[in-house]
Amino acid sequence: MKTQNEHWLKKSYQKATLETKLLVVDQILNGQISNNQASKKYDIPRTTISYWLRKYSTLVQQNTGMSKNDEIKKLKEKIEELEFVKDFQQDIIADMELITGVDMSKKSLPKTLAKEIERKKKQRIKENGSINVLGFLNKPSTKD
């Protein structure tokens, strides 16, 4: 037990091995223990554990070889790909609604998407002509 004069003495810690550092970081990142629990269990200051976590995350980022700009570029490409898929799906829905005469999008999709599909349908009608009773597109006649 500390005497009254020893309350100001800084607590000394043993130097942790690489295995201990990796074990602590792994347990924290896997959610097995918290920073506080690890600090108490391994007798390591929380600030030291936080430093190890920051250092480890930097190391992982370097090993993946992806900078922030590369990550942004990759995400922009993914957005572009998803926009293409969305447009393709909307085209299919618009065509099916024109053929069947059933407005599926208004009932099952958010308003913004339903409006986009409605706009695509109007564009299709304008480009391809009118729709006959059976729901098939009629092209304007060029014979006279």
Side-chain angles (χ1 to χ4, degrees):
M1 187 159 219
K2 294 181 182 176
T3 64
Q4 206 171 21
N5 293 340
E6 294 177 348
H7 74 281
W8 55 271
L9 291 177
K10 187 176 179 181
K11 186 173 181 180
S12 62
Y13 296 94
Q14 274 191 323
K15 187 169 180 151
T17 64
L18 178 61
E19 291 80 22
T20 304
K21 291 177 184 180
L22 291 174
L23 176 68
V24 171
V25 168
D26 186 54
Q27 287 180 344
I28 292 171
L29 292 178
N30 288 330
Q32 295 170 340
I33 57 175
S34 68
N35 284 20
N36 288 339
Q37 291 169 332
S39 176
K40 290 173 185 170
K41 181 177 179 180
Y42 296 101
D43 195 31
I44 300 168
R46 288 188 319 251
T47 55
T48 302
I49 293 173
S50 295
Y51 173 76
W52 293 348
L53 289 167
R54 280 194 311 275
K55 195 114 167 141
Y56 179 80
S57 68
T58 303
L59 179 67
V60 168
Q61 187 177 16
Q62 287 173 350
N63 286 341
T64 58
M66 187 178 293
S67 68
K68 293 226 184 261
N69 288 337
D70 290 341
E71 191 173 355
I72 290 170
K73 183 179 176 185
K74 188 175 178 182
L75 290 171
K76 284 182 179 180
E77 288 171 359
K78 185 68 176 174
I79 289 170
E80 192 175 310
E81 177 186 337
L82 291 172
E83 286 287 335
F84 175 80
V85 169
K86 182 187 90 166
D87 284 341
F88 181 73
Q89 290 171 339
Q90 286 178 341
D91 288 341
I92 291 173
I93 292 171
D95 289 344
M96 288 305 296
E97 286 184 358
L98 286 172
I99 291 169
T100 62
V102 178
D103 286 336
M104 298 175 281
S105 59
K106 288 181 182 175
K107 298 174 187 173
S108 58
L109 294 175
K111 287 182 182 179
T112 55
L113 292 176
K115 285 180 183 178
E116 287 181 38
I117 291 172
E118 189 62 34
R119 184 179 43 79
K120 286 181 184 261
K121 283 174 28 182
K122 288 179 182 176
Q123 182 181 353
R124 289 268 198 293
I125 291 171
K126 188 176 181 181
E127 290 171 356
N128 298 321
S130 63
I131 303 174
N132 71 11
V133 179
L134 297 175
F136 296 102
L137 294 175
N138 284 336
K139 294 206 174 191
S141 176
T142 54
K143 296 180 184 175
D144 277 325

Short mmCIF file of all heavy atoms in Angstrom, two decimals, residues 108-133:
data_model
loop_
_atom_site.label_atom_id
_atom_site.label_comp_id
_atom_site.label_asym_id
_atom_site.label_seq_id
_atom_site.Cartn_x
_atom_site.Cartn_y
_atom_site.Cartn_z
N SER A 108 -45.17 0.26 -55.60
CA SER A 108 -44.13 -0.45 -54.85
C SER A 108 -42.80 0.28 -54.71
O SER A 108 -41.93 -0.20 -53.99
CB SER A 108 -43.88 -1.80 -55.51
OG SER A 108 -43.51 -1.62 -56.85
N LEU A 109 -42.61 1.41 -55.35
CA LEU A 109 -41.33 2.11 -55.28
C LEU A 109 -41.48 3.48 -54.63
O LEU A 109 -42.56 4.05 -54.62
CB LEU A 109 -40.74 2.28 -56.69
CG LEU A 109 -40.34 1.00 -57.42
CD1 LEU A 109 -39.89 1.33 -58.83
CD2 LEU A 109 -39.24 0.28 -56.68
N PRO A 110 -40.38 4.03 -54.13
CA PRO A 110 -40.43 5.39 -53.60
C PRO A 110 -40.84 6.38 -54.69
O PRO A 110 -40.62 6.13 -55.88
CB PRO A 110 -38.98 5.66 -53.15
CG PRO A 110 -38.37 4.32 -52.96
CD PRO A 110 -39.06 3.40 -53.93
N LYS A 111 -41.42 7.48 -54.28
CA LYS A 111 -41.97 8.46 -55.24
C LYS A 111 -40.93 8.94 -56.25
O LYS A 111 -41.23 9.09 -57.43
CB LYS A 111 -42.54 9.66 -54.50
CG LYS A 111 -43.84 9.38 -53.80
CD LYS A 111 -44.37 10.63 -53.12
CE LYS A 111 -45.66 10.33 -52.37
NZ LYS A 111 -46.18 11.50 -51.68
N THR A 112 -39.71 9.18 -55.78
CA THR A 112 -38.69 9.70 -56.70
C THR A 112 -38.38 8.70 -57.81
O THR A 112 -38.27 9.09 -58.98
CB THR A 112 -37.39 10.04 -55.95
OG1 THR A 112 -36.96 8.88 -55.22
CG2 THR A 112 -37.59 11.19 -54.99
N LEU A 113 -38.30 7.43 -57.46
CA LEU A 113 -38.04 6.41 -58.49
C LEU A 113 -39.25 6.23 -59.40
O LEU A 113 -39.11 6.05 -60.61
CB LEU A 113 -37.66 5.09 -57.84
CG LEU A 113 -36.32 5.05 -57.10
CD1 LEU A 113 -36.12 3.71 -56.42
CD2 LEU A 113 -35.18 5.34 -58.04
N ALA A 114 -40.45 6.27 -58.83
CA ALA A 114 -41.66 6.13 -59.63
C ALA A 114 -41.77 7.28 -60.64
O ALA A 114 -42.17 7.07 -61.79
CB ALA A 114 -42.89 6.10 -58.73
N LYS A 115 -41.38 8.48 -60.22
CA LYS A 115 -41.41 9.64 -61.14
C LYS A 115 -40.41 9.45 -62.28
O LYS A 115 -40.70 9.79 -63.43
CB LYS A 115 -41.11 10.93 -60.39
CG LYS A 115 -42.25 11.41 -59.54
CD LYS A 115 -41.90 12.71 -58.81
CE LYS A 115 -43.03 13.15 -57.91
NZ LYS A 115 -42.69 14.37 -57.16
N GLU A 116 -39.24 8.92 -61.96
CA GLU A 116 -38.24 8.67 -63.00
C GLU A 116 -38.75 7.65 -64.01
O GLU A 116 -38.56 7.81 -65.22
CB GLU A 116 -36.92 8.16 -62.39
CG GLU A 116 -36.13 9.23 -61.66
CD GLU A 116 -34.82 8.70 -61.10
OE1 GLU A 116 -34.18 7.86 -61.78
OE2 GLU A 116 -34.44 9.12 -60.00
N ILE A 117 -39.41 6.62 -63.53
CA ILE A 117 -39.95 5.59 -64.42
C ILE A 117 -41.07 6.18 -65.27
O ILE A 117 -41.17 5.90 -66.47
CB ILE A 117 -40.42 4.35 -63.62
CG1 ILE A 117 -39.19 3.65 -63.03
CG2 ILE A 117 -41.25 3.41 -64.48
CD1 ILE A 117 -39.49 2.54 -62.06
N GLU A 118 -41.90 7.02 -64.68
CA GLU A 118 -42.98 7.66 -65.43
C GLU A 118 -42.40 8.55 -66.54
O GLU A 118 -42.90 8.56 -67.66
CB GLU A 118 -43.84 8.50 -64.47
CG GLU A 118 -45.10 9.03 -65.08
CD GLU A 118 -46.06 7.93 -65.53
OE1 GLU A 118 -46.12 6.88 -64.88
OE2 GLU A 118 -46.76 8.15 -66.55
N ARG A 119 -41.31 9.23 -66.23
CA ARG A 119 -40.64 10.08 -67.23
C ARG A 119 -40.09 9.21 -68.36
O ARG A 119 -40.21 9.55 -69.54
CB ARG A 119 -39.52 10.87 -66.56
CG ARG A 119 -38.82 11.86 -67.45
CD ARG A 119 -37.73 12.65 -66.74
NE ARG A 119 -36.86 11.88 -65.87
CZ ARG A 119 -35.84 11.10 -66.29
NH1 ARG A 119 -35.58 11.00 -67.56
NH2 ARG A 119 -35.09 10.47 -65.41
N LYS A 120 -39.52 8.06 -68.02
CA LYS A 120 -38.99 7.15 -69.04
C LYS A 120 -40.12 6.60 -69.92
O LYS A 120 -39.94 6.44 -71.14
CB LYS A 120 -38.22 5.99 -68.39
CG LYS A 120 -36.87 6.42 -67.84
CD LYS A 120 -36.13 5.26 -67.23
CE LYS A 120 -34.85 5.71 -66.61
NZ LYS A 120 -33.68 5.51 -67.43
N LYS A 121 -41.27 6.32 -69.32
CA LYS A 121 -42.41 5.83 -70.11
C LYS A 121 -42.86 6.89 -71.11
O LYS A 121 -43.09 6.57 -72.28
CB LYS A 121 -43.58 5.46 -69.18
CG LYS A 121 -43.37 4.14 -68.47
CD LYS A 121 -44.42 3.78 -67.44
CE LYS A 121 -45.78 4.30 -67.59
NZ LYS A 121 -46.67 3.90 -66.49
N LYS A 122 -42.95 8.12 -70.66
CA LYS A 122 -43.36 9.21 -71.56
C LYS A 122 -42.36 9.38 -72.69
O LYS A 122 -42.74 9.61 -73.85
CB LYS A 122 -43.52 10.51 -70.78
CG LYS A 122 -44.74 10.52 -69.89
CD LYS A 122 -44.85 11.81 -69.11
CE LYS A 122 -46.05 11.78 -68.19
NZ LYS A 122 -46.14 12.97 -67.35
N GLN A 123 -41.09 9.25 -72.35
CA GLN A 123 -40.04 9.37 -73.36
C GLN A 123 -40.15 8.23 -74.38
O GLN A 123 -40.01 8.45 -75.58
CB GLN A 123 -38.68 9.34 -72.68
CG GLN A 123 -37.50 9.51 -73.61
CD GLN A 123 -36.18 9.45 -72.88
OE1 GLN A 123 -36.13 9.40 -71.66
NE2 GLN A 123 -35.10 9.43 -73.63
N ARG A 124 -40.44 7.02 -73.90
CA ARG A 124 -40.59 5.86 -74.79
C ARG A 124 -41.77 6.06 -75.76
O ARG A 124 -41.67 5.75 -76.94
CB ARG A 124 -40.84 4.58 -73.98
CG ARG A 124 -39.69 4.08 -73.21
CD ARG A 124 -38.92 3.07 -74.06
NE ARG A 124 -38.03 2.22 -73.31
CZ ARG A 124 -36.94 2.61 -72.67
NH1 ARG A 124 -36.62 3.86 -72.66
NH2 ARG A 124 -36.18 1.75 -72.05
N ILE A 125 -42.88 6.55 -75.22
CA ILE A 125 -44.07 6.78 -76.05
C ILE A 125 -43.75 7.83 -77.12
O ILE A 125 -44.11 7.68 -78.28
CB ILE A 125 -45.27 7.20 -75.19
CG1 ILE A 125 -45.72 6.01 -74.33
CG2 ILE A 125 -46.42 7.70 -76.06
CD1 ILE A 125 -46.77 6.37 -73.28
N LYS A 126 -43.06 8.87 -76.71
CA LYS A 126 -42.70 9.94 -77.63
C LYS A 126 -41.78 9.43 -78.74
O LYS A 126 -41.95 9.76 -79.91
CB LYS A 126 -42.01 11.07 -76.86
CG LYS A 126 -41.75 12.31 -77.66
CD LYS A 126 -41.14 13.38 -76.76
CE LYS A 126 -40.89 14.65 -77.51
NZ LYS A 126 -40.27 15.68 -76.67
N GLU A 127 -40.82 8.56 -78.38
CA GLU A 127 -39.87 8.02 -79.35
C GLU A 127 -40.49 6.96 -80.25
O GLU A 127 -40.21 6.90 -81.44
CB GLU A 127 -38.67 7.38 -78.63
CG GLU A 127 -37.76 8.37 -77.94
CD GLU A 127 -36.71 7.69 -77.07
OE1 GLU A 127 -36.74 6.44 -76.94
OE2 GLU A 127 -35.88 8.40 -76.50
N ASN A 128 -41.35 6.11 -79.69
CA ASN A 128 -41.83 4.94 -80.41
C ASN A 128 -43.26 5.02 -80.92
O ASN A 128 -43.74 4.08 -81.54
CB ASN A 128 -41.70 3.68 -79.53
CG ASN A 128 -40.26 3.41 -79.17
OD1 ASN A 128 -39.37 3.59 -79.98
ND2 ASN A 128 -40.03 3.01 -77.94
N GLY A 129 -43.96 6.05 -80.60
CA GLY A 129 -45.33 6.16 -81.08
C GLY A 129 -46.33 5.85 -79.99
O GLY A 129 -46.01 5.86 -78.81
N SER A 130 -47.54 5.53 -80.40
CA SER A 130 -48.62 5.30 -79.43
C SER A 130 -48.68 3.82 -79.03
O SER A 130 -48.02 2.98 -79.60
CB SER A 130 -49.95 5.73 -80.03
OG SER A 130 -50.20 4.92 -81.16
N ILE A 131 -49.54 3.54 -78.07
CA ILE A 131 -49.73 2.18 -77.60
C ILE A 131 -51.11 1.72 -78.04
O ILE A 131 -52.09 2.43 -77.86
CB ILE A 131 -49.64 2.13 -76.06
CG1 ILE A 131 -48.30 2.67 -75.61
CG2 ILE A 131 -49.86 0.73 -75.54
CD1 ILE A 131 -48.17 2.80 -74.11
N ASN A 132 -51.20 0.51 -78.60
CA ASN A 132 -52.52 0.03 -79.01
C ASN A 132 -53.23 -0.66 -77.85
O ASN A 132 -52.70 -0.78 -76.77
CB ASN A 132 -52.41 -0.88 -80.25
CG ASN A 132 -51.78 -2.23 -79.94
OD1 ASN A 132 -51.59 -2.59 -78.78
ND2 ASN A 132 -51.46 -2.97 -80.98
N VAL A 133 -54.40 -1.16 -78.08
CA VAL A 133 -55.24 -1.75 -77.04
C VAL A 133 -54.56 -2.95 -76.37
O VAL A 133 -54.70 -3.16 -75.19
CB VAL A 133 -56.60 -2.17 -77.64
CG1 VAL A 133 -57.48 -2.82 -76.59
CG2 VAL A 133 -57.29 -0.99 -78.26
#
